[in-house]
Amino acid sequence: MKKNLKARITTNHEIAPGIYEMIILSKELSLEGFPGKFVNLYLEDGKHLLPRPISICEINAKEQVLRLIYAVLGKGTKKLSMMKENQEIHVLGPLGNGFTVEKGTGKNIVIGGGVGVPPLLELVKQLEGATDVYLGFRCNPFLVEDFKKYADNVYLATEDGSEGHKGNVLELLKLQNQEGDMIYSCGPKPMLKAVSEWAKNHNIDAELSLEERMACGIGACLVCTCKAAETGDEDWEYKRVCKDGPVFSRDEVMWE
Amino acid sequence: MKKNLKARITTNHEIAPGIYEMIILSKELSLEGFPGKFVNLYLEDGKHLLPRPISICEINAKEQVLRLIYAVLGKGTKKLSMMKENQEIHVLGPLGNGFTVEKGTGKNIVIGGGVGVPPLLELVKQLEGATDVYLGFRCNPFLVEDFKKYADNVYLATEDGSEGHKGNVLELLKLQNQEGDMIYSCGPKPMLKAVSEWAKNHNIDAELSLEERMACGIGACLVCTCKAAETGDEDWEYKRVCKDGPVFSRDEVMWE
Amino acid sequence: MMRPSLKVNIGGIELENPIMTASGTFGSGKEYGDFVDLNRLGAVVVKGVSSVAWKGNPTPRVAETHGGMLNSVGLQNPGVEEFIKKDIPFLRGYDTKIIVNIAGKTVEEYCAVAERLSKEDVDMIELNISCPNVKEGGVSFGTNRDMAEYVTREVKKYTKQPLIVKLSPNVTDIVEIAKAAVDGGADALSLINTLTGMAIDIHKRKPILANVVGGLSGPAIKPVAVRMVYQVAQAVKVPIIGMGGIMTGEDAVEFMLAGATAVAVGTANFMNPTATTDILEGIEKYMSQYKIKDIKEIQGSLMI
Amino acid sequence: MMRPSLKVNIGGIELENPIMTASGTFGSGKEYGDFVDLNRLGAVVVKGVSSVAWKGNPTPRVAETHGGMLNSVGLQNPGVEEFIKKDIPFLRGYDTKIIVNIAGKTVEEYCAVAERLSKEDVDMIELNISCPNVKEGGVSFGTNRDMAEYVTREVKKYTKQPLIVKLSPNVTDIVEIAKAAVDGGADALSLINTLTGMAIDIHKRKPILANVVGGLSGPAIKPVAVRMVYQVAQAVKVPIIGMGGIMTGEDAVEFMLAGATAVAVGTANFMNPTATTDILEGIEKYMSQYKIKDIKEIQGSLMI
Ligand SMILES: Cc1cc2nc3c(=O)[nH]c(=O)nc-3n(C[C@H](O)[C@H](O)[C@H](O)COP(=O)(O)OP(=O)(O)OC[C@H]3O[C@@H](n4cnc5c(N)ncnc54)[C@H](O)[C@@H]3O)c2cc1C
Ligand SMILES: Cc1cc2nc3c(=O)[nH]c(=O)nc-3n(C[C@H](O)[C@H](O)[C@H](O)COP(=O)(O)OP(=O)(O)OC[C@H]3O[C@@H](n4cnc5c(N)ncnc54)[C@H](O)[C@@H]3O)c2cc1C
Ligand SMILES: Cc1cc2nc3c(=O)[nH]c(=O)nc-3n(C[C@H](O)[C@H](O)[C@H](O)COP(=O)(O)O)c2cc1C
Ligand SMILES: Cc1cc2nc3c(=O)[nH]c(=O)nc-3n(C[C@H](O)[C@H](O)[C@H](O)COP(=O)(O)O)c2cc1C
Ligand code: FES
Ligand code: FES
């Protein structure tokens, strides 16, 4: 059940250039949290009315906290980054459908790019099968050590070559001749499109987590749609990223 | 010279029900401060764009602070009251013309009502002549002890009779058969109008401090006008409370 | 003490209270049902419905602006048959009125939806002649006096329920259009729909909305909405449903003082899913503060 | 490195940079001279001037709204003779262009002010056919195609300076009015003036403004202003001065991308007296970030 509440911020600090970690305390949210789901954060400043959707990076039900990792991109995330510990924040969530963890009993390939990396951490923690993780960054990787705790292998790519493979994750994936039964991925659209094609070519099932600008976050306003089609169906329709997604199966998403 | 700056709040707390004292630290403002002048306080929250004009209650040039006393009336003053010590606040000031302290060398009558009381404190401190002060409140008087420090006599009236004379200051003034050479007054319009008439009847010079809704605060936008006429002149014009006032001489103001 | 009455009457239909949802912001209520008790709403006004399914516009469909937002959904909807099958049974499970917002690209399409719904168990029809997000029809009906009257008159022939006409604020003279709709047979008026606006991403040098322009809603537009409600209330006798930036009970009271009989809550839902019932409670608080026993004492009681 | 050029040309007059003040928000610059170096402004657009002194409307003349404000000053001004005597000499002391906003209740009055100013040392005339705060004339010229063309054509006969026509956003079709002004001979267009709005004090049950309605300005209206600048820029060839809620250099860039040649800063001055030069610096920062050497590269460079 979705919650509309005020949660206390216990941590909010920079963990990599422009990347922040926010930990919020809420029993309800920690109980309802699920990998791939997200929360709406509200700025409540009179100027920025719309929520900022941020994925759940980690859940600790025992400590009753959610860990969120976000990039400072525009005015809203800038404001988020200036919020202080012990402040309360208006949160709506968990929202969306999340990944199908049950599909991950075989060999899993998890592919993340940039700010698409954080939502995959809780997933990797919960996946039963063997899991190889591919993480791509422009520069300044983050969360890599966290993934190493739970994954079988973690492969790293940076565009500037500062750490790991110089280039993108797709190249790395091909270099490794990676094999597997199930793919989970989150990241920028071009990356997801490439992952989707690679998965199709290798006949591997895949789940992709998309992003879109949102308003309600719960499926009522229809602003956050993406083009989707039932498998093999040419007659596409606009589906709601916030409610039907953010996680879609490989064949559902129609790329432009 | 007017200043546009950020000042540090050193104190901000309730001193009577719904009445707050805010002390702000600023060398520039404390040097330029003058009785009857005011400052614009900005909320900078994206929702409330217009400044809140608040009079200077006391100036301490040595400690480089201004004391402001304000009532929580609407949304903006509510927000002001929630500002914390050590926070910075955007201030523009000192604004307006202030009282003519030089006229106060004889016997002064100072009359304040409600939130019109605070701006008179620094005036009374600076007046050279003997000064009798009349303060009127609905209930819950404030600043009375401060005035006692500097005035020859302080007369108090409350509408609910909880302290001092039960009724308004005008009655008290008449009861005392108050005499004097110069009147200074600030308070609600009906009170100022009555003071003005009493002054005219007794042929005493008077300066009255008015209030009006403002935008620029510096005389450029013409939203804050009041009807004013040169002495004896029927051909009135709209004068700017923020720049030509807030202090006007008795004969200038045309009452509705 | 007697509980104050919040009942209002629109086109002969009595609503428990004046709180409605603004079309397009509340779906058909299902999603918000997780947060608010739909029984407490005066009426649920559903997302615009057309005779056949409409896909709507490409994304991005939303842009944030100072104190407001732009949307360019473009009336995506599954068509009237889907709506009848899925949403009416759901909403009939609650003790609230159902108002169906209808859309069309031609007068015939509007009439077709109205006729189809006339046989269904819905309480009122809201004719949207003001959506700025569809190229044909839609807004051109709402910005032309004669077209507004004509489309109202035609649709009125096909609907059995009271007909509300929803007006566009993007006009020189809102009173003229309001009178035209009343002349055409409108039983009530809804105003305002969104103001046409635009936002640009200066870094990409591109409009934020794929559709370039969109409809501005939220508190930013409230002063325009209050003004239009006030002007129209002076000129027509039918009830007005006021909307545009209502975020609090105080905002709702402002619209009723200006002349609205009921109010609709739109963008506020996105910031707070319990906005509708919070606003209802705000109105109740205002009424108890001023010892107002019947909400009708507020409506149009502005002193000029 | 060469300093980037911010020069813009309006009606044959070259401005050092695109920053102007919005009429009525900056007086004649005297008061703001305490805070900003007037030499750094592309132009000072002064408060509306009429042939004789106007008293303006009763107070309160201002109301705060969410992200905006309403004003109902009603063009209080001391008349053109006072203006010429006091303000022109003051402004000529600075290296900035002088643009005089003119007001009238009849076409004859507009022409009289224009004619009187044609002999004076001012750089341009801005014809305000869009003020919502005067009952006669004013706004009715700005909301009617034929009247807009007519008053422009007449005033043009009497003025020697380039003529800017300032448009009202309270119209169904801004492009139609813009074209009419250009047909009438406008050398440039200013848009937008304020949107007509209203605010109510729910505790007193009275309108906040003594004049009941007023003009909405500030960031709340920016999306409407950007949209209108964009639409008009597609339709006319004369330069556009964009305004409406510009608070930052980024906002100014947004207007220029939409098609404005210059921008005017209004309500922002009230929140921050150094807004004009802060915005100028914001534009310079944007230009250096994207290595833009000439501001003309920004203007209208939106990619659709
Ligand atoms: C389901 C989902 C999960 C997300 N999870 C994360 C995460 O875990 N970590 C993270 O760093 N980012 C995440 N994002 C992206 C994040 O929401 C945006 O970066 C953020 O909203 C930008 O806000 P801003 O105010 O800084 O930018 P601005 O550009 O100032 O925002 C303006 C408006 O556009 C919206 N917007 C701008 N960029 C995006 C975007 N990329 N996606 C959606 N809305 C956007 C904002 O929400 C706001 O409404 C997620 C997005 C979605 C849809
Ligand atoms: C020159 C001057 C000096 C003042 N000095 C003091 C003082 O020392 N102490 C004090 O308590 N109050 C003082 N006031 C009044 C004070 O400015 C208002 O009470 C305050 O602005 C109300 O703001 P709000 O947001 O709480 O009310 P809201 O009603 O929410 O404000 C809405 C808008 O109206 C304006 N407004 C509302 N009431 C007034 C008012 N009475 N006068 C001017 N603007 C108003 C606000 O500034 C704001 O722009 C002074 C006013 C003026 C003009
Ligand atoms: C996302 C969104 C979708 C909308 N869809 C519709 C619609 O389908 N039909 C309609 O008549 N109005 C539609 N509107 C307009 C609203 O019903 C309402 O008139 C407007 O948003 C002003 O109210 P608000 O400021 O409270 O949102 C929509 C508004 C938004 C924000
Ligand atoms: C207090 C005030 C007075 C104004 N007076 C005039 C005027 O005399 N003539 C005019 O053409 N526009 C006038 N305007 C409109 C502004 O010039 C400008 O078009 C409008 O405010 C939008 O810009 P902004 O949002 O930056 O303020 C006035 C605006 C305000 C707020
Ligand atoms: S954000 Fe409203 S439907 Fe997705
Ligand atoms: S507030 Fe602008 S002139 Fe007084």
Side-chain angles (χ1 to χ4, degrees):
Chain A
M1 182 72 179
K2 301 177 195 87
K3 306 293 175 189
N4 179 35
L5 48 73
K6 297 261 180 178
R8 188 168 302 280
I9 297 171
T10 65
T11 309
N12 192 26
H13 66 153
E14 203 169 13
I15 57 164
I19 306 291
Y20 282 72
E21 168 180 57
M22 181 185 280
I23 294 178
I24 56 174
L25 181 70
S26 161
K27 184 178 172 183
E28 292 98 318
L29 290 176
S30 71
L31 289 175
E32 305 277 341
F34 194 82
K37 286 187 184 257
F38 65 97
V39 295
N40 270 352
L41 302 180
Y42 299 85
L43 298 164
E44 299 190 288
D45 63 359
K47 183 172 172 182
H48 303 95
L49 302 186
L50 297 180
R52 268 55 188 173
I54 301 291
S55 299
I56 295 172
C57 169
E58 248 190 300
I59 306 157
N60 188 329
K62 216 175 105 213
E63 296 186 9
Q64 309 187 340
V65 297
L66 287 191
R67 184 183 187 198
L68 311 173
I69 306 284
Y70 61 95
V72 171
L73 217 103
K75 302 248 160 57
T77 44
K78 176 88 205 152
K79 276 218 149 188
L80 281 183
S81 74
M82 295 187 310
M83 292 186 82
K84 301 258 172 8
E85 279 167 29
N86 277 321
Q87 233 180 299
E88 293 210 311
I89 184 164
H90 178 191
V91 188
L92 181 70
L95 305 174
N97 59 0
F99 292 105
T100 317
V101 179
E102 301 76 37
K103 288 191 177 175
T105 49
K107 168 87 178 171
N108 301 308
I109 314 172
V110 171
I111 309 165
V115 290
V117 165
L120 300 170
L121 184 59
E122 183 65 28
L123 171 74
V124 170
K125 266 171 78 175
Q126 296 197 12
L127 286 176
E128 265 187 37
T131 302
D132 287 350
V133 174
Y134 287 81
L135 303 178
F137 299 91
R138 198 118 47 129
C139 51
N140 300 314
F142 53 88
L143 286 185
V144 181
E145 294 309 310
D146 295 69
F147 277 94
K148 284 188 180 161
K149 281 192 257 174
Y150 309 107
D152 294 73
N153 294 291
V154 177
Y155 302 99
L156 183 61
T158 53
E159 278 175 34
D160 66 353
S162 57
E163 285 183 59
H165 170 78
K166 182 177 158 92
N168 67 40
V169 270
L170 257 294
E171 293 164 15
L172 199 50
L173 201 65
K174 290 170 191 168
L175 275 174
Q176 300 287 338
N177 283 314
Q178 178 71 41
E179 293 183 353
D181 309 307
M182 180 69 200
I183 296 175
Y184 299 95
S185 185
C186 183
K189 256 194 197 146
M191 185 197 97
L192 290 181
K193 189 177 171 186
V195 166
S196 173
E197 276 162 12
W198 187 86
K200 208 170 257 171
N201 291 341
H202 292 70
N203 207 16
I204 309 176
D205 193 4
E207 285 194 343
L208 312 165
S209 180
L210 303 193
E211 263 188 16
E212 196 44 74
R213 286 177 185 245
M214 296 185 174
C216 73
I218 60 172
C221 74
L222 306 185
V223 306
C224 67
T225 49
C226 68
K227 279 193 186 178
E230 301 311 314
T231 316
D233 194 348
E234 280 301 286
D235 193 15
W236 61 271
E237 57 175 334
Y238 280 121
K239 284 205 174 175
R240 299 161 298 181
V241 170
C242 72
K243 174 111 177 176
D244 305 315
V247 177
F248 291 92
S249 80
R250 190 191 76 189
D251 296 328
E252 246 177 317
V253 185
M254 293 185 54
W255 303 100
E256 314 272 319
Chain B
M1 182 71 181
K2 301 176 196 87
K3 306 292 174 191
N4 180 34
L5 46 74
K6 296 261 178 178
R8 189 168 299 281
I9 298 171
T10 66
T11 308
N12 192 27
H13 65 154
E14 201 168 14
I15 58 164
I19 307 290
Y20 282 73
E21 169 180 58
M22 180 186 280
I23 294 179
I24 56 175
L25 180 70
S26 161
K27 184 177 172 184
E28 292 99 319
L29 291 175
S30 72
L31 289 175
E32 305 277 340
F34 194 82
K37 286 186 184 259
F38 67 97
V39 295
N40 269 352
L41 302 180
Y42 298 85
L43 298 164
E44 299 190 287
D45 63 358
K47 183 172 173 182
H48 303 95
L49 303 185
L50 297 180
R52 269 54 188 173
I54 301 290
S55 299
I56 295 172
C57 169
E58 248 190 300
I59 306 156
N60 188 329
K62 215 175 107 214
E63 295 186 11
Q64 309 188 339
V65 296
L66 286 191
R67 183 185 188 196
L68 312 172
I69 305 285
Y70 62 95
V72 170
L73 217 102
K75 302 247 160 59
T77 45
K78 177 86 206 154
K79 276 219 148 190
L80 281 183
S81 74
M82 294 186 311
M83 291 186 84
K84 301 260 169 9
E85 280 167 29
N86 278 320
Q87 235 179 298
E88 293 210 312
I89 184 165
H90 178 192
V91 188
L92 181 71
L95 305 173
N97 59 0
F99 291 106
T100 318
V101 179
E102 301 77 36
K103 286 191 177 175
T105 49
K107 169 85 178 172
N108 301 309
I109 315 171
V110 171
I111 308 164
V115 289
V117 165
L120 300 169
L121 184 60
E122 183 65 29
L123 172 74
V124 170
K125 266 170 78 176
Q126 295 197 12
L127 284 176
E128 265 187 37
T131 301
D132 287 351
V133 175
Y134 287 80
L135 303 178
F137 298 91
R138 199 117 50 126
C139 52
N140 300 314
F142 53 88
L143 286 186
V144 180
E145 294 309 309
D146 295 68
F147 276 95
K148 284 188 179 159
K149 282 192 257 175
Y150 309 107
D152 294 73
N153 294 292
V154 177
Y155 302 100
L156 183 62
T158 54
E159 277 175 35
D160 67 353
S162 57
E163 285 184 60
H165 170 78
K166 181 177 157 93
N168 67 40
V169 270
L170 256 294
E171 292 163 16
L172 198 52
L173 202 66
K174 289 170 191 168
L175 274 175
Q176 299 287 338
N177 281 316
Q178 179 69 41
E179 292 183 350
D181 308 307
M182 181 68 201
I183 296 175
Y184 299 95
S185 185
C186 183
K189 254 192 197 147
M191 185 197 97
L192 291 180
K193 188 178 173 186
V195 166
S196 173
E197 275 160 13
W198 187 86
K200 208 171 255 170
N201 291 342
H202 291 70
N203 206 14
I204 309 177
D205 193 4
E207 285 193 344
L208 312 166
S209 180
L210 304 193
E211 261 186 19
E212 195 45 73
R213 286 176 185 244
M214 297 183 172
C216 73
I218 61 173
C221 74
L222 306 184
V223 305
C224 66
T225 49
C226 67
K227 279 193 185 178
E230 301 310 314
T231 316
D233 195 346
E234 280 302 285
D235 192 15
W236 62 271
E237 56 175 334
Y238 279 121
K239 284 205 174 175
R240 299 162 298 182
V241 170
C242 72
K243 172 110 177 179
D244 306 314
V247 177
F248 291 92
S249 80
R250 189 191 77 190
D251 297 328
E252 244 177 317
V253 186
M254 291 184 53
W255 304 100
E256 314 272 318
Chain C
M1 230 193 69
M2 241 182 57
R3 272 183 73 85
S5 164
L6 275 87
K7 290 201 169 67
V8 299
N9 188 303
I10 298 194
I13 307 281
E14 192 175 70
L15 277 59
E16 270 307 302
N17 65 58
I19 300 292
M20 299 185 179
T21 61
S23 175
T25 66
F26 209 75
S28 294
K30 274 199 197 76
E31 292 82 10
Y32 282 98
D34 287 353
F35 302 98
V36 292
D37 177 0
L38 301 178
N39 294 305
R40 290 180 65 199
L41 303 180
V44 170
V45 184
V46 304
K47 173 81 193 156
V49 177
S50 49
S51 56
V52 293
W54 286 4
K55 282 200 185 331
N57 290 321
T59 50
R61 290 177 174 182
V62 65
E64 191 178 51
T65 69
H66 193 128
M69 61 174 274
L70 292 164
N71 90 80
S72 57
V73 171
L75 288 167
Q76 173 176 343
N77 82 91
V80 68
E81 293 304 334
E82 267 301 281
F83 168 77
I84 289 171
K85 210 161 56 187
K86 282 199 193 150
D87 294 325
I88 298 182
F90 168 79
L91 281 169
R92 268 297 164 247
Y94 293 91
D95 183 19
T96 186
K97 301 298 178 221
I98 306 175
I99 302 180
V100 187
N101 182 276
I102 67 171
K105 285 170 185 153
T106 61
V107 175
E108 292 69 35
E109 270 189 84
Y110 277 118
C111 292
V113 192
E115 185 173 26
R116 182 67 190 84
L117 288 166
S118 69
K119 299 166 207 129
E120 298 296 326
D121 184 16
V122 302
D123 297 293
M124 289 186 249
I125 302 295
E126 183 180 63
L127 176 64
N128 178 10
I129 55 168
S130 50
C131 180
N133 290 322
V134 284
K135 293 229 165 47
E136 309 129 86
V139 80
S140 70
F141 293 116
T143 55
N144 178 293
R145 198 228 155 272
D146 295 338
M147 283 306 292
E149 180 176 346
Y150 175 66
V151 67
T152 308
R153 196 182 302 284
E154 288 303 305
V155 169
K156 184 76 186 165
K157 290 180 190 160
Y158 292 92
T159 173
K160 292 219 170 57
Q161 296 91 346
L163 182 65
I164 305 164
V165 177
K166 182 158 177 185
L167 306 182
S168 166
N170 301 296
V171 295
T172 307
D173 184 355
I174 190 75
V175 170
E176 181 191 38
I177 310 282
K179 282 182 176 165
V182 173
D183 288 349
D187 298 296
L189 300 173
S190 274
L191 53 153
I192 60 176
N193 209 315
T194 52
L195 281 163
T196 308
M198 176 173 174
I200 293 170
D201 182 327
I202 63 166
H203 303 290
K204 297 191 181 139
R205 294 203 192 185
K206 282 168 72 170
I208 294 179
L209 300 175
N211 195 45
V212 184
V213 298
L216 182 65
S217 63
I221 69 169
K222 197 185 75 174
V224 174
V226 172
R227 184 261 296 181
M228 289 188 168
V229 166
Y230 172 72
Q231 289 177 330
V232 171
Q234 308 299 303
V236 303
K237 292 219 172 64
V238 302
I240 293 170
I241 303 155
M243 71 199 75
I246 295 177
M247 310 295 283
T248 63
E250 296 174 355
D251 294 338
V253 170
E254 193 173 344
F255 275 87
M256 290 190 284
L257 287 169
T261 296
V263 295
V265 179
T267 303
N269 292 302
F270 306 154
M271 298 168 61
N272 173 18
T274 63
T276 43
T277 48
D278 290 355
I279 290 167
L280 178 60
E281 283 161 23
I283 297 174
E284 285 168 344
K285 209 174 124 192
Y286 177 86
M287 289 175 72
S288 90
Q289 182 185 350
Y290 290 102
K291 304 196 170 49
I292 297 167
K293 301 246 164 42
D294 191 322
I295 196 146
K296 296 184 187 74
E297 294 170 36
I298 302 179
Q299 288 152 2
S301 74
L302 190 71
M303 296 175 291
I304 301 281
Chain D
M1 228 194 69
M2 241 182 57
R3 270 183 75 85
S5 165
L6 276 88
K7 290 199 169 69
V8 298
N9 187 302
I10 298 193
I13 308 279
E14 191 176 72
L15 277 61
E16 270 308 300
N17 65 57
I19 298 293
M20 300 186 178
T21 61
S23 175
T25 66
F26 209 76
S28 294
K30 276 199 195 75
E31 292 80 11
Y32 282 99
D34 288 352
F35 302 97
V36 292
D37 177 359
L38 300 179
N39 294 307
R40 290 180 65 199
L41 302 181
V44 170
V45 183
V46 303
K47 172 80 194 157
V49 177
S50 50
S51 56
V52 294
W54 285 4
K55 283 201 186 329
N57 290 321
T59 49
R61 289 178 175 180
V62 65
E64 192 178 51
T65 69
H66 194 126
M69 61 173 274
L70 292 164
N71 90 81
S72 57
V73 171
L75 288 167
Q76 172 176 343
N77 82 90
V80 68
E81 293 304 335
E82 267 302 281
F83 168 77
I84 290 170
K85 210 160 59 189
K86 283 200 191 149
D87 294 324
I88 298 181
F90 167 78
L91 281 169
R92 270 296 166 245
Y94 294 91
D95 184 19
T96 186
K97 300 297 178 223
I98 306 175
I99 301 180
V100 187
N101 182 276
I102 67 173
K105 284 170 185 152
T106 60
V107 176
E108 292 69 36
E109 270 189 83
Y110 278 119
C111 292
V113 193
E115 185 172 27
R116 181 68 190 80
L117 287 167
S118 68
K119 300 168 205 125
E120 297 296 325
D121 184 16
V122 301
D123 297 293
M124 288 186 247
I125 302 295
E126 183 179 63
L127 176 62
N128 177 8
I129 56 168
S130 50
C131 179
N133 289 322
V134 285
K135 293 229 165 48
E136 309 130 87
V139 81
S140 70
F141 292 116
T143 54
N144 178 292
R145 198 225 153 274
D146 295 338
M147 284 304 294
E149 180 175 346
Y150 176 66
V151 66
T152 308
R153 196 182 301 284
E154 289 302 306
V155 169
K156 184 76 186 164
K157 292 180 189 161
Y158 293 92
T159 174
K160 293 220 169 54
Q161 296 92 346
L163 182 65
I164 304 164
V165 177
K166 182 159 178 184
L167 305 183
S168 166
N170 301 295
V171 295
T172 307
D173 184 355
I174 191 73
V175 170
E176 180 190 37
I177 310 283
K179 282 182 177 164
V182 172
D183 289 348
D187 300 295
L189 299 173
S190 275
L191 53 153
I192 60 174
N193 209 314
T194 53
L195 281 164
T196 307
M198 176 171 174
I200 293 171
D201 182 327
I202 63 165
H203 303 290
K204 297 190 181 138
R205 294 203 191 183
K206 283 168 71 169
I208 294 180
L209 300 175
N211 195 45
V212 184
V213 298
L216 182 64
S217 62
I221 68 169
K222 197 184 75 174
V224 175
V226 171
R227 183 263 296 182
M228 289 188 167
V229 165
Y230 172 73
Q231 290 177 330
V232 171
Q234 308 300 303
V236 304
K237 292 219 173 65
V238 302
I240 293 171
I241 303 156
M243 72 198 76
I246 296 176
M247 309 296 282
T248 63
E250 296 175 355
D251 293 338
V253 169
E254 193 174 344
F255 275 87
M256 290 190 285
L257 287 170
T261 296
V263 295
V265 179
T267 302
N269 293 301
F270 307 154
M271 297 168 61
N272 173 18
T274 63
T276 43
T277 48
D278 291 354
I279 290 167
L280 177 60
E281 284 161 23
I283 297 174
E284 285 167 344
K285 209 175 123 193
Y286 177 85
M287 289 175 72
S288 89
Q289 183 184 348
Y290 290 102
K291 304 198 171 45
I292 298 167
K293 300 243 162 45
D294 191 322
I295 196 144
K296 295 183 189 75
E297 293 170 36
I298 301 179
Q299 289 151 2
S301 75
L302 190 71
M303 294 174 293
I304 300 281

